[in-house]
């Protein structure tokens, strides 16, 4: 990627996630919590991933070796909140941008015209389009949260790192008379990271040395998915397993030689 | 003055010019665009005050503290309670989906009775109770006329059921089969151990897990996951399937399905070889050692487990080098197994002196009973419901006239679905206290819905797997949206109609008394705190060999394992528990390949597929002598050769659209068999035929 | 010729005037419906009680920040019932309020004049340095509630603050105008 294509903003805070793949059991608690928190409607048949809205999904990885050398791992995939988001640069109506402090890529539903260029541009399949109006079974709509507006048919949506939780944390900090731009590590945690029973999902400010993610992202076992594309994701993964880290990127054959 | 054409046009031009100076056009354009963003059929989100209330998950899976977030007192989301010792802030997929499950379309809205045409019609509570009292009255004093099955092994409701049935003259109170129940029976009845088993994973430095899915369905799952997450314990998994636990374990040791007991005894062999001599010597040690030495030579062990003699040897060495190893055995689903694997695992723990020690097995005093302080028959150590069905089928016990079903869905979840449903068909009158119109409710005659756990007051005493005794209250966080009544209170009222005094006037009184007896503080319990006790029972007279153990172990030596494809069941919390259906909010957590259309994926490795002559993605029929299900083949090298991995939790025929038309019920592939020696009945399937579906 | 010209301008002026009248007067009447409020409320009556034994209230007694920093807006029934569990005065509307809402434990469905739509996140506490009256109508001396006008097309209140107003102030104050500052 040429320098001119980079749309780097400088942010004081860079919210980031470090997911320890070696601790993920694929239990799915994060997916459920994400769905409940962000008013993603339930679906009796959610297995057509092209049609079903989801913000966070868990992929199963395989080392592709034969039994009994086979190994498996789970990879939860939220929005990567890229440093150079390919989705934002293609949006014709500026419904998705990366301009707010914290570096979370925004998605404004009323502004979205549903052209889905962003979906084509996103290399992580993090974005989903609402092909249908959202439906909750009668009574279950009572569990809608006040955090995220419901999305009608015809707009694109994606993970926001539970951006509303940051807003809530900032309000709490203001109430206590603290600086809302210098939050405690525990003050703002997305739903998936909060519920993860093995603590595989770490969250914090990648710029802040007091936050654990600052250290973890610099671990020799840390990697990002498709790093070669230059998207600079704010989601890092950790694995001590070589084969897992290798699957983080698609290498052309000549690149592989260069890297090894 | 007449208005001519020119004048009219001038009027329009004037109007147009004037409009430009009014907001009409701009305002309309703006409003129309807003209008298109707020279709009336798109639900609106609430505003208002947020708060959090504690409760305890009670859905037939691991029980632990929850925090329920509410807006204007309406529950919206669930997360783990950091102050609860079994949650520590973590949650599983079922707990996370529990708030939404409360609004499942399959909720039973009011008491119902089945009419002659087999349809349910609403009935008033007073009428229903009157009818039930009338049916129960003539059965008083008859031993076999009334029976009860409950899926709640931790709540005080089982005391109420026990006392009620005893007042009626019946001893037939049963629990749904579970690993906890079976393991405690092996410990108490066969090995002469005291108390109930706890597992101190937290302080162990090496966890050897023999088959159960420790990090998804076994024991205090969320606590297990928390302990694993701290990274201080090395985890080794032995099993036929690379499940959630195996995916993160340091190593996966592939063994034949159901051979974990053999592996444990093979390890004992190696330990003896290395000169291990336990002090003090447990009863029957010499006979046990003799049995192990005869039947678990390296060759035999390798054949029985599918693991190489060297691998077993290495594992034994690891166990001996570890300072605080702990062996965990159980079934892959956590829903009960024969006694042999439990015995084998426990004997290994005993040999390694891991009883009542830090990072080992803890022996916990049983629950304090309020209604029957003298003790009375403890439900826990009596037979489980599978055994009862078997006894009724063989005519050993007369089938009941009336059956109570409480917090359980046995018609779906018990092994050998055909036999179980046959049993339900022989019961003339079934009373069901279920919240959901599940398979058992559909077969029942009277539905008296219990409120959902978030709508009622209940309790939880030391769920299985916990290292310490603990007691917490499952507190209501909202009012019931349906016409339900708490079952325990209902039984207390029913008893007094029949002139029996259960000893308390309400369930709340019972819980308060229990709290006092434990020495806990009611105020702190109701604010979501947990009472804990580190008390353990010292053991004397632990036994490694006696007549029942001998017959149980010898029965394992007959037959050649793995002659035909074996079966390994896999349970996941995202598919719910044996009591619930698929939680609506759990469905998205499934992998894309796990379900396609109406077929669930069964996994085999490539070599097995070649042997069976089936391809990836092919629709097949799995058949055993108990039944058959339809499924789709998914190639997965994380399954032992000559073995089919079948997911549980699918194949619901009742409940809601989230549960229906998805896969087949794996329980219908299992045959119910009772083990010699232990008397434990469980589902087994050694032979499964895979044929391409036509 | 000149006469003809005069006649020609008259229809133009009439059309011009009609459009102005329609646009400024009739159109708003068509667009907005006066929904009013479910019950009457006197701010002055609560701030300066005429009866001696009743405590005078302050604005923040009802319009306060919750412990988590969120703004309570209009008080909940529970806050009203703290004083009005039983009728305190002889005012008939108070008696109706107690019997219709407090006794029936039914929240008052107040219409919020400046309630933002679902997709907007507005933090009062972040704007705490400003006077309330910079955005809200001063109700201190109001004896009755102002009419509540609902936009028939959008369902929004007429008095809602629109995005361009937010942006203008943010630009003036040199604050970020990023989408995610306000949208959810």
């Amino acid at each position: 990627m040429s320098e001119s294509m980079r749309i780097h903003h400088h942010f004081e805070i860079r919210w980031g996630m470090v997911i320890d793949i070696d601790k993920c059991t694929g239990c799915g608690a994060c997916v459920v919590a994400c769905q409940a928190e962000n008013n993603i409607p339930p679906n009796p048949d959610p297995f057509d991933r092209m049609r079903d809205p989801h913000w966070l999904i868990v992929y199963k990885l395989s080392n592709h070796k034969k039994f009994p050398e086979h190994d498996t791992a789970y990879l939860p995939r939220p929005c990567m909140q890229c440093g150079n988001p390919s989705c934002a640069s293609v949006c014709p109506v500026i419904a998705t941008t990366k301009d707010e402090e914290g570096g979370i890529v925004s998605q404004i539903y009323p502004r979205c015209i549903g052209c889905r260029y962003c979906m084509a541009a996103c290399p992580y399949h993090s974005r989903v389009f609402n092909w249908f109006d959202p439906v909750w079974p009668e009574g279950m709509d009572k569990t809608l949260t006040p955090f995220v507006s419901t999305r009608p048919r015809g707009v694109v949506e994606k993970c926001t790192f539970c951006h509303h939780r940051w807003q809530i944390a900032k309000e709490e900090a203001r109430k206590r008379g603290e600086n809302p731009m210098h939050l405690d590590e525990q003050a703002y945690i997305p739903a998936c990271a909060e519920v993860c029973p093995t603590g595989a999902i770490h969250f914090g400010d990648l710029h802040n040395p007091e936050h654990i993610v600052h250290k973890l992202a610099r671990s020799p076992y840390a990697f990002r998915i498709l790093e070669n594309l230059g998207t600079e994701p704010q989601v890092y993964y950790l694995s001590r397993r070589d084969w897992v880290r290798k699957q983080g990127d698609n290498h052309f054959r000549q690149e592989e030689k260069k890297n090894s | 003055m007449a208005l001519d054409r020119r004048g009219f046009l001038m009027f329009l031009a004037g109007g147009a010019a004037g409009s430009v100076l009014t907001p009409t056009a701009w305002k309309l354009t703006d409003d129309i665009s807003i209008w298109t963003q707020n279709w009336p059929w798109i639900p609106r989100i609430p505003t208002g005050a947020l708060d959090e209330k504690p409760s305890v998950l009670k859905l037939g899976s691991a029980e632990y503290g929850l925090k329920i977030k509410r807006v204007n007192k309406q529950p919206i989301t669930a997360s783990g309670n950091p102050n609860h010792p079994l949650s520590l802030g973590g949650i599983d997929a079922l707990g996370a989906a529990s708030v939404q499950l409360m609004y499942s379309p399959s909720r039973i809205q009011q008491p119902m009775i089945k009419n002659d045409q087999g349809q349910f019609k609403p009935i008033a509570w007073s009428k229903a109770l009157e009818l039930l009292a009338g049916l129960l009255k003539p059965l008083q004093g008859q031993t076999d006329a009334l029976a009860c099955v409950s899926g709640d092994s931790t709540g005080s409701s089982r005391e109420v059921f026990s006392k009620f049935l005893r007042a009626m003259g019946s001893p037939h109170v049963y629990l749904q089969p579970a690993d906890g129940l079976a393991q405690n029976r092996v410990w108490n009845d066969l090995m002469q151990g005291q108390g109930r088993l706890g597992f101190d994973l937290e302080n162990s430095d090496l966890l050897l897990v023999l088959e159960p899915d420790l990090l998804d369905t076994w024991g205090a799952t969320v606590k297990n996951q928390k302990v694993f997450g701290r990274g201080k314990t090395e985890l080794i998994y032995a099993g036929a399937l690379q499940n959630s636990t195996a995916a993160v374990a340091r190593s996966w040791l592939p063994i034949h399905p159901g051979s974990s007991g053999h592996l444990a005894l093979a390890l004992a062999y190696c330990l003896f070889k290395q000169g291990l001599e336990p002090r003090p010597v447990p009863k029957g040690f010499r006979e046990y050692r003799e049995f192990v030495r005869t039947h678990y030579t390296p060759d035999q062990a390798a054949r029985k487990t599918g693991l190489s003699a060297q691998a077993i040897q290495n594992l034994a060495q690891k166990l001996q080098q570890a300072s605080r190893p702990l062996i965990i055995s159980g079934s892959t689903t956590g829903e009960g197994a024969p006694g042999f694997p439990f015995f084998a695992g426990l004997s290994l723990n005993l040999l390694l002196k891991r009883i009542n020690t830090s990072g080992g097995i803890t022996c916990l005093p049983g629950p304090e009973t309020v209604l029957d302080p003298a003790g009375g028959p403890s439900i826990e150590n009596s037979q489980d419901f599978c055994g009862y069905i078997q006894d009724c089928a063989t005519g050993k016990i007369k089938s009941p006239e009336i059956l109570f079903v409480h917090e359980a869905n046995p018609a779906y979840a018990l092994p050998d679905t055909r036999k179980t449903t046959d049993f339900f068909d022989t019961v003339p009158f079934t009373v069901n206290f279920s919240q959901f119109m599940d398979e058992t409710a559909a077969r029942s005659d009277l539905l008296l819905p219990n409120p959902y756990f978030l709508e009622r007051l209940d309790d939880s005493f030391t769920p299985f797997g916990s290292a310490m005794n603990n007691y917490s209250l499952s507190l209501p966080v909202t009012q019931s949206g349906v016409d339900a009544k708490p079952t325990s209170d209902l039984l207390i009222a029913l008893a007094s109609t029949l002139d029996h005094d259960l000893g308390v006037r309400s369930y709340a009184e019972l819980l308060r008394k229990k709290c006092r007896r434990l020495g806990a503080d009611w105020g702190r319990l109701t604010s979501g705190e947990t009472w804990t006790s580190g008390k353990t029972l010292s053991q004397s007279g632990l036994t490694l060999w006696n007549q029942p153990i001998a017959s149980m172990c010898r029965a394992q030596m007959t037959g050649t394992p793995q002659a035909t494809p074996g079966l390994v069941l896999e349970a996941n919390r995202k598919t719910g528990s044996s009591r619930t259906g698929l939680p609506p909010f759990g469905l998205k957590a499934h992998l894309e390949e796990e379900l396609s259309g109406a077929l669930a994926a069964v996994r085999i490795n490539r070599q097995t597929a070649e042997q069976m002559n089936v391809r990836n993605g092919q629709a097949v029929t799995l058949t055993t002598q108990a039944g058959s299900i339809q499924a789709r083949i998914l190639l997965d090298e994380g399954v032992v050769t000559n073995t089919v991995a079948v997911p549980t939790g699918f194949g619901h025929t009742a409940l809601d659209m989230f549960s229906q038309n998805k896969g087949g019920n794996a329980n219908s592939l299992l045959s119910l068999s009772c083990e010699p020696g232990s008397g434990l009945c469980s589902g087994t399937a050694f032979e499964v035929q895979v044929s391409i579906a036509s | 010729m000149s006469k003809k010209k005069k006649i020609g301008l008259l229809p133009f002026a009439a059309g011009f005037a009609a459009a102005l009248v329609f646009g400024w007067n009739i159109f708003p009447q068509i667009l907005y419906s006066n929904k009013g409020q479910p019950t009457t409320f006197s701010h002055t009556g609560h701030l300066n009680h005429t009866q001696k034994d009743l405590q005078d209230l302050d604005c923040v007694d009802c319009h306060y920040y919750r412990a988590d920093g969120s703004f309570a807006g209009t008080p909940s029934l529970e806050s009203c019932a703290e004083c009005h569990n039983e009728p305190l005065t002889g005012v008939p509307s108070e008696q109706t309020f107690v019997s219709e809402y407090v006794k029936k434990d039914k929240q008052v469905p107040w219409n919020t004049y400046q309630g933002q739509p679902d997709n907007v996140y507005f933090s009062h506490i972040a704007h705490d340095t400003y006077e309330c009256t910079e955005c809200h109508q001063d109700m201190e001396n109001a004896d009755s509630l102002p009419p509540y006008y609902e936009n028939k097309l959008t369902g929004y209140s007429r008095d809602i603050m629109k995005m361009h107003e937010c942006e203008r102030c943010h630009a003036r104050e040199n604050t970020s105008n990023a989408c995610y500052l306000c949208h959810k």
Side-chain angles (χ1 to χ4, degrees):
Chain A
M1 178 184 269
S2 70
E3 262 321 297
S4 61
M5 275 172 75
R6 293 175 188 265
I7 39 168
H8 260 307
H9 284 268
H10 179 76
F11 300 121
E12 293 289 307
I13 301 171
R14 208 165 134 254
W15 293 117
M17 209 174 254
V18 180
I19 302 175
D20 190 341
I21 290 180
D22 295 347
K23 282 189 182 168
C24 179
T25 65
C27 75
C30 53
V31 179
V32 179
C34 168
Q35 194 191 343
E37 177 94 4
N38 294 300
N39 294 334
I40 303 169
N43 182 352
D45 183 23
F47 300 100
D48 184 352
R49 297 278 192 236
M50 293 295 285
R51 298 281 158 128
D52 176 69
H54 53 269
W55 288 12
L56 170 67
I57 58 174
V58 177
Y59 291 105
K60 190 175 180 180
L61 307 181
S62 161
N63 67 350
H64 301 301
K65 288 200 175 155
K66 285 191 90 175
F67 173 82
E69 264 79 51
H70 186 259
D71 195 8
T72 189
Y74 294 94
L75 182 141
R77 193 239 52 215
C79 169
M80 300 289 147
Q81 319 293 358
C82 301
N84 295 306
S86 28
C87 53
S89 55
V90 299
C91 181
V93 293
I94 326 180
T96 182
T97 58
K98 190 189 179 79
D99 54 0
E100 161 65 346
E101 185 55 62
I104 298 172
V105 176
S106 65
Q107 175 72 26
I108 310 299
Y109 318 119
R111 193 161 185 127
C112 174
I113 56 168
C115 70
R116 290 172 276 144
Y117 284 172
C118 57
M119 290 176 69
C122 175
Y124 303 103
H125 295 257
S126 293
R127 297 174 155 270
V128 286
F129 181 68
N130 283 281
W131 288 93
F132 307 100
D133 278 324
V135 179
W136 280 260
E138 200 192 329
M140 213 181 281
D141 53 350
K142 286 186 189 161
T143 64
L144 281 168
T145 70
F147 309 132
V148 184
S149 55
T150 51
R151 286 78 62 186
R153 177 176 51 178
V155 303
V156 170
E157 60 187 65
K158 66 160 193 83
C159 154
T160 66
F161 270 4
C162 287
H163 173 259
H164 55 274
R165 289 195 174 206
W166 189 25
Q167 306 272 32
I168 291 170
K170 282 194 284 189
E171 281 207 329
E172 278 176 347
R174 285 194 167 104
K175 172 79 179 172
R176 285 197 302 266
E178 294 164 12
N179 180 4
M181 297 312 279
H182 197 91
L183 292 174
D184 186 63
E185 193 172 15
Q186 291 306 309
Y188 164 38
I189 300 279
C192 54
E194 185 199 351
V195 300
C196 178
T198 60
I201 307 180
H202 304 271
F203 186 82
D205 177 6
L206 292 165
H207 281 165
N208 187 342
E210 290 167 27
H211 288 193
I212 183 91
V213 290
H214 178 88
K215 193 183 119 209
L216 291 178
R218 285 158 181 79
S219 148
Y221 301 111
F223 68 100
R224 296 183 286 182
I225 306 181
L226 301 179
E227 234 166 324
N228 272 357
L229 295 179
T231 50
E232 309 237 336
Q234 279 167 226
V235 176
Y236 290 77
Y237 291 89
L238 286 178
S239 180
R240 287 175 175 269
R241 292 178 259 189
D242 288 338
W243 69 265
V244 172
R245 291 200 303 278
K246 262 204 175 127
Q247 290 189 4
D249 224 328
N250 277 325
H251 293 277
F252 292 114
R253 204 158 286 160
Q254 63 270 28
E255 282 179 335
E256 253 172 22
K257 266 187 213 134
K258 208 164 38 182
N259 289 348
S260 58
Chain B
M1 186 184 68
L3 188 67
D4 55 5
R5 180 176 172 273
R6 185 187 167 86
F8 179 68
L9 288 176
M10 289 296 270
F11 178 80
L12 285 188
S19 302
V20 176
L21 300 178
T22 72
T24 317
W26 331 119
K27 182 76 186 146
L28 262 182
T29 313
D30 185 25
D31 283 358
I32 287 170
S33 81
I34 294 172
W35 173 63
T36 63
Q37 292 162 8
N38 294 296
W39 301 120
W41 58 87
I42 306 292
R44 293 282 106 90
I45 58 173
T47 55
L50 287 170
D51 66 356
E52 269 179 348
K53 287 277 164 195
S55 195
V56 167
L57 182 74
K58 279 188 85 73
L59 285 175
S61 56
E63 294 181 3
Y64 54 85
L66 294 176
K67 275 187 321 184
I68 305 293
K69 205 173 268 177
R70 309 188 303 173
V71 56
N72 297 327
K73 305 209 170 104
Q74 163 64 45
I76 48 172
T77 58
S79 55
N81 182 352
N83 299 323
H84 194 281
L86 299 181
S87 163
L88 303 172
I91 198 168
D92 59 20
L94 180 57
S98 62
V99 174
Q100 287 75 19
L101 183 62
M102 178 159 58
Y103 299 98
S104 158
S106 65
R107 269 305 285 275
I108 298 169
Q109 299 290 321
Q110 72 258 317
M112 307 237 260
I113 187 153
K114 204 180 249 171
N115 64 14
D116 296 339
Q117 284 85 50
Q119 285 163 326
F120 283 111
K121 294 279 176 238
I123 182 173
W125 277 104
S126 55
K127 276 248 175 74
L129 281 185
E130 208 176 293
L131 175 100
L132 189 55
L135 287 172
L136 286 169
K137 207 155 228 169
L139 302 182
Q140 293 188 79
Q142 295 183 31
T143 323
D144 294 337
L146 181 62
C148 165
V149 56
S150 173
D152 184 358
S153 60
T154 62
S156 297
S157 57
R158 63 200 188 89
E159 267 196 68
V160 180
F161 274 103
S162 248
K163 182 103 185 196
F164 183 89
L165 262 79
R166 228 167 320 133
M168 288 290 296
S170 166
H172 298 297
V173 180
Y174 300 100
L175 286 172
Q176 280 267 94
D179 273 19
L181 202 63
Q183 188 131 255
N184 282 326
R185 270 189 65 187
V186 167
W187 182 245
N188 298 144
D189 299 354
L190 299 183
M191 300 178 76
Q192 310 299 319
Q194 306 295 310
R196 312 186 323 153
L197 295 171
F199 297 83
D200 186 15
L201 273 58
E202 207 165 346
N203 297 307
S204 156
D205 66 344
L206 175 68
L207 280 177
L208 173 60
V209 182
L210 302 179
E211 286 198 292
D213 200 350
L214 186 78
L215 304 181
D216 203 350
T217 52
W218 189 87
T221 319
V222 174
K223 170 71 182 276
N224 300 349
Q225 286 178 301
K226 278 279 168 190
V227 169
F228 161 74
R230 288 182 327 168
K232 290 184 182 156
T233 310
E234 188 176 342
L235 182 64
I236 298 176
Y237 181 78
L241 177 68
Q242 216 161 37
N243 55 12
S244 309
T245 308
V248 293
R250 180 68 57 84
S251 51
W252 170 47
L253 304 173
I255 58 171
H256 295 322
S259 70
S260 60
H262 295 310
L263 177 57
L265 294 187
L267 289 168
Y269 178 94
C270 298
L271 294 176
F272 291 143
K273 203 89 198 262
Q274 284 155 12
L276 178 113
E277 284 263 7
R279 293 266 176 273
V281 182
K283 272 188 207 158
F285 172 69
R286 247 183 290 144
E287 292 92 328
Y288 170 85
R289 187 172 57 186
E290 192 50 42
F291 178 81
V292 167
R293 278 181 176 164
T294 335
H295 294 280
Y296 291 93
T297 58
D299 280 356
Q300 287 170 312
R303 205 167 52 241
K304 282 181 172 119
T305 61
L307 213 55
S308 74
Q310 189 56 48
I312 298 173
Q313 180 62 38
N314 294 347
L315 185 59
Q317 217 153 32
K318 234 177 147 104
L319 276 179
Q320 244 190 351
Q321 281 159 3
S323 54
R324 294 181 310 280
L326 176 59
I327 294 97
I328 305 240
S329 34
S331 66
T332 51
T333 58
E335 281 158 27
F340 177 70
F342 294 121
F343 165 74
L346 287 170
S347 71
L348 202 51
N349 278 310
L350 182 59
L351 293 177
L352 291 164
K353 300 199 194 77
R354 306 303 304 144
I355 311 293
N356 274 342
T357 170
S358 169
I361 281 178
T362 50
C363 307
L364 310 173
E368 292 284 343
T369 49
V370 173
L371 298 183
D372 215 349
S378 156
I379 309 177
E380 204 133 330
N381 294 328
S382 72
Q383 226 173 6
D384 61 48
F385 195 55
C386 276
Y388 177 68
I389 291 182
Q390 189 77 338
D391 285 349
C392 288
T394 54
K396 221 162 127 189
I397 302 175
K398 227 175 93 216
S399 283
E401 296 290 318
I402 296 182
L403 176 69
F404 285 169
V405 183
H406 172 246
E407 302 287 302
N409 183 11
Y412 168 83
L414 286 193
D416 213 330
T417 315
R418 204 183 295 155
K419 202 175 239 174
T420 313
T421 48
D422 282 352
F423 166 76
F424 273 89
D425 292 340
T426 63
V427 180
F429 198 79
T430 305
V431 185
N432 200 319
F433 303 98
S434 176
Q435 290 106 29
F436 303 106
M437 188 56 96
D438 54 32
E439 285 80 0
T440 313
R443 285 172 188 278
S444 301
D445 301 281
L446 184 63
L447 306 179
L448 302 174
N450 193 12
Y452 193 65
F453 79 94
L454 293 174
E455 303 166 336
R456 66 168 197 258
L457 176 67
D458 215 329
D459 63 345
S460 171
F461 183 89
T462 318
F464 176 65
S466 170
M468 288 209 289
N469 265 340
N470 56 63
Y471 184 68
S472 47
L473 293 178
S474 182
L475 298 158
V477 297
T478 183
Q479 285 185 337
S480 186
V482 302
D483 186 12
K485 274 193 201 300
T487 304
S488 300
D489 284 316
L490 204 68
L491 280 185
I492 294 167
L494 191 64
S496 72
T497 328
L498 296 164
D499 295 324
H500 295 301
D501 181 14
L502 296 192
V504 283
R505 279 177 310 255
S506 71
Y507 192 49
E509 187 191 328
L510 169 62
L511 300 192
R512 273 173 186 275
K513 280 188 173 166
K514 178 159 279 186
C515 162
R516 207 169 314 139
R517 205 174 286 265
L518 290 169
D521 183 292
W522 182 256
R524 290 169 70 171
L525 287 181
T526 48
S527 67
E529 286 185 38
T530 308
W531 169 89
T532 54
S533 156
K535 217 171 125 187
T536 53
L537 295 178
S538 62
Q539 303 293 318
S540 59
L542 285 180
T543 305
L544 275 180
W545 203 257
N546 53 24
Q547 195 46 50
I549 294 177
S551 53
M552 176 175 79
C553 292
R554 287 207 183 99
Q556 288 287 330
M557 298 306 118
T558 54
T560 47
Q562 291 304 297
T564 49
L567 188 77
V568 58
L569 294 190
E570 188 187 15
N572 282 306
R573 268 310 152 242
K574 57 194 176 196
T575 53
S577 73
S578 65
R579 194 193 300 170
T580 68
L582 297 170
F585 272 51
L587 275 178
K588 287 189 202 220
H590 286 271
L591 303 174
E592 206 171 354
E593 63 265 28
E594 283 176 346
L595 266 180
S596 57
L599 294 182
V602 294
R603 297 188 275 155
I604 54 175
N605 71 22
R606 200 167 293 275
Q607 196 185 333
T608 317
E610 276 162 20
Q611 282 166 17
M612 289 176 178
N613 210 6
V614 290
R615 291 189 320 273
N616 195 28
Q618 206 159 33
V620 292
T621 307
L622 304 186
T623 314
T624 64
Q625 62 189 97
S628 71
I629 61 168
Q630 306 278 313
R632 197 177 294 280
I633 293 289
L634 176 66
L635 291 189
D636 185 340
E637 295 298 301
V639 185
V640 171
T641 307
N642 215 2
T643 299
V644 189
V646 182
T648 59
F650 295 113
H652 281 282
T653 52
L655 293 162
D656 54 23
M657 70 272 207
F658 296 97
S659 294
Q660 284 169 8
N661 298 324
K662 290 182 176 67
N665 183 358
N667 295 310
S668 61
L669 294 176
L670 305 178
S671 312
L672 195 56
S673 65
C674 296
E675 192 183 31
S678 74
L680 280 166
C681 300
S682 58
T684 43
F686 285 117
E687 294 178 30
V688 55
Q689 309 291 331
V690 178
S691 55
I692 295 160
S694 48
Chain C
M1 187 75 186
S2 66
K3 194 183 168 195
K4 215 178 183 182
K5 224 179 202 172
K6 243 182 202 166
I7 298 163
L9 271 181
L10 212 67
F12 183 86
F16 192 81
L20 286 182
V21 170
F22 176 80
W24 289 104
N25 207 329
I26 302 170
F27 173 66
Q29 285 180 41
I30 300 171
L31 188 64
Y32 298 107
S33 59
N34 183 355
K35 287 237 156 156
Q37 292 289 1
T39 176
T40 59
F41 183 84
S42 164
H43 277 92
T44 46
H46 283 80
L47 289 170
N48 322 290
H49 278 301
T50 38
Q51 270 141 316
K52 282 247 158 58
D53 51 333
L54 293 180
Q55 201 194 331
D56 284 351
L57 294 172
D58 206 359
C59 303
V60 292
D61 287 335
C62 297
H63 307 296
Y64 55 88
Y65 293 118
R66 300 189 190 104
D68 61 1
S70 61
F71 188 64
T74 44
S76 65
L77 186 73
E78 288 73 37
S79 344
C80 299
E82 276 175 30
C83 299
H84 295 278
N85 210 2
E86 295 296 332
L88 294 170
T89 62
V91 185
S93 59
E94 192 213 354
Q95 279 167 356
T96 339
F97 168 72
V98 171
S99 62
E100 281 303 301
Y101 295 102
V102 180
K103 295 293 170 205
K104 288 181 183 167
D105 196 26
K106 191 181 136 197
Q107 292 288 340
V108 187
W110 295 113
N111 287 317
T112 312
Y113 297 99
Q114 283 176 288
Q116 288 290 334
D118 281 1
N119 56 62
V120 177
Y121 177 90
F122 180 81
S123 170
H124 274 89
I125 206 163
H127 299 82
D128 199 40
T129 49
Y130 298 91
E131 281 298 317
C132 306
T133 49
E134 286 197 38
C135 302
H136 293 285
Q137 203 177 332
D138 188 356
M139 298 303 291
E140 199 177 339
N141 299 310
D143 196 36
S144 62
L145 294 173
Y148 174 83
Y149 289 106
E150 189 185 276
N151 187 316
K152 284 178 193 161
L153 259 180
T154 62
Y156 291 2
S157 162
R158 187 194 65 182
D159 303 314
I160 196 172
M161 183 174 276
K162 304 277 303 199
M163 188 166 113
H164 63 87
E165 295 175 82
C166 305
E167 284 178 308
R168 194 190 300 144
C169 189
H170 272 228
R172 200 172 57 220
E173 302 281 320
N174 229 351
T175 305
S176 163
N177 252 327
C179 310
Y180 253 14
L181 204 63
C182 309
H183 279 287
K184 63 177 181 183

